[in-house]
Amino acid sequence: MYLWLKALHLIAVISWMAGLLYLPRLMIYHCAAEKGSVQSETFKVMERRLLKAIMTPAMIVTWVLGLILAFGYVGFSGNGWLHVKLALVVALSAAHGYQARWVREFAEDRNTRPQRFYRIANEAPTVLMIAIVILVIVKPF
């Protein structure tokens, strides 16, 4: 059962990361669209669907399966890398929350941030993902 849970956890992580990396890219293009235009309204639908249908369910499955794996199979004691990984996943969840807020702002035509902001914000999930993967594979401590 462990390998099945691990596989499903990894599938959920990949789905969640795809969304975390793609949503800011949509927002970069959305910034260039005129408010109220067909293009802007299309971006609103794309952003909402990505968040609600893919990212949020994938995040929930990632958390549930990750906690099952941690408590049921890996164990927390003596695994410092797991504590740090968990803290980084909390940070990734915070990035998800910020992106959800930005989707609402775009939906209400209240975005005031430039494209550059979303280009920079797009890097945070990437950096967190790299650190998490290194911790899981290398287990440096």
Side-chain angles (χ1 to χ4, degrees), residues 34-88:
E34 186 178 324
K35 291 180 180 176
S37 68
V38 172
Q39 187 180 30
S40 177
E41 296 306 310
T42 300
F43 279 123
K44 289 177 186 180
V45 171
M46 293 171 69
E47 291 159 357
R48 185 185 75 248
R49 287 182 180 169
L50 178 60
L51 180 68
K52 301 284 185 185
I54 296 172
M55 291 172 62
T56 299
M59 179 185 70
I60 292 167
V61 172
T62 295
W63 268 102
V64 168
L65 293 177
L67 290 172
I68 289 170
L69 289 166
F71 282 112
Y73 295 94
V74 177
F76 278 101
S77 62
N79 288 316
W81 66 270
L82 186 56
H83 296 105
V84 176
K85 177 199 172 194
L86 187 57
L88 294 176

